[in-house]
Amino acid sequence: MPMTEALTPRPTTEGGSRRLILDHAARLLRGGGYHQTTLREIAEAVGIRKASLYYHFGSKEEIVEAVVNDGVRFVHEAVVAALAAEEGASPRVRLEAAIRAHLCALHGHGDYTSASIKVFTFGAAPVPESVRAVRRAYEDVWRRLIAEWQKAGGMPAGNSPDVLRLFLLGALNGSTDWYRPERHAIDALAREFVALLSPH
């Protein structure tokens, strides 16, 4: 079943107050990044006292970690579902489905996904292991997909599948800078991305 282009944000009611905090934190992190976003700003945006944040989260870093992981998770889940719907299809069809799903989720959950891309570092603190693990799990989906593509002859012998993965994910995530729904159709973009990789 093909993905539609409906970019449906995740409901803010999920998880009650905790989800509301993350929704506002994602919006602020998307705009200001890690250093410019404070707990006071998040609390004011939610409409609660700063001390009330600690009922749900132990620190600013914990809020940022949850936002960043959700941003990756939303895209991961969408791509896995799209690939499951195309089980048994050709590698080209599956690659196009994955690209379409990535773009739909990326722009459908814009605050979370943009914050996740923007806030990869946590100030002076090391990137939490959960963030690294969530990203690795999603990258593994693309490693398997590109291995299918390579096996089917979709890329010249000797070319690095890791370089292709990095290039493709970088290009897709980079669309947060230029994508506008009134100017681009996601279905058309997905076809064009695949055509750029293999014009024949």
Side-chain angles (χ1 to χ4, degrees):
M1 183 178 191
M3 288 216 33
T4 67
E5 288 195 35
L7 305 181
T8 307
R10 201 171 188 87
T12 58
T13 53
E14 178 194 348
S17 298
R18 180 182 170 89
R19 176 53 60 189
L20 189 61
I21 291 168
L22 292 177
D23 286 346
H24 285 287
R27 177 178 56 80
L28 291 167
L29 287 163
R30 177 184 189 175
Y34 179 87
H35 292 291
Q36 298 302 315
T37 303
T38 66
L39 287 175
R40 183 179 301 280
E41 282 181 310
I42 295 170
E44 288 176 354
V46 177
I48 61 176
R49 292 165 55 174
K50 179 180 171 182
S52 299
L53 290 175
Y54 292 105
Y55 178 78
H56 301 280
F57 298 95
S59 64
K60 172 183 170 179
E61 288 71 26
E62 193 175 316
I63 294 174
V64 175
E65 183 176 352
V67 168
V68 169
N69 285 344
D70 275 354
V72 178
R73 180 169 60 86
F74 295 155
V75 179
H76 188 164
E77 290 173 353
V79 171
V80 167
L83 290 173
E86 297 293 354
E87 187 69 34
S90 70
R92 186 185 186 96
V93 168
R94 284 169 57 77
L95 182 61
E96 184 177 322
I99 290 172
R100 185 186 306 113
H102 184 108
L103 288 171
C104 281
L106 184 73
H107 298 289
H109 300 282
D111 286 343
Y112 283 88
T113 54
S114 293
S116 185
I117 292 167
K118 189 170 189 173
V119 188
F120 184 64
T121 57
F122 282 60
V127 176
E129 179 52 36
S130 79
V131 171
R132 297 183 187 278
V134 166
R135 290 195 177 217
R136 279 196 302 268
Y138 183 52
E139 288 173 354
D140 284 345
V141 173
W142 285 90
R143 286 187 179 93
R144 292 190 294 270
L145 187 59
I146 289 172
E148 290 178 18
W149 180 251
Q150 184 179 33
K151 187 176 179 181
M155 55 187 292
N159 281 22
S160 167
D162 282 337
V163 169
L164 177 58
R165 172 179 55 81
L166 293 169
F167 168 78
L168 187 53
L169 289 176
L172 294 176
N173 290 338
S175 70
T176 57
D177 292 329
W178 53 262
Y179 172 77
R180 300 292 181 274
E182 66 275 11
R183 293 175 56 193
H184 302 283
I186 284 182
D187 280 344
L189 283 176
R191 287 193 297 272
E192 288 193 40
F193 268 107
V194 174
L196 288 170
L197 298 177
S198 179
H200 303 296

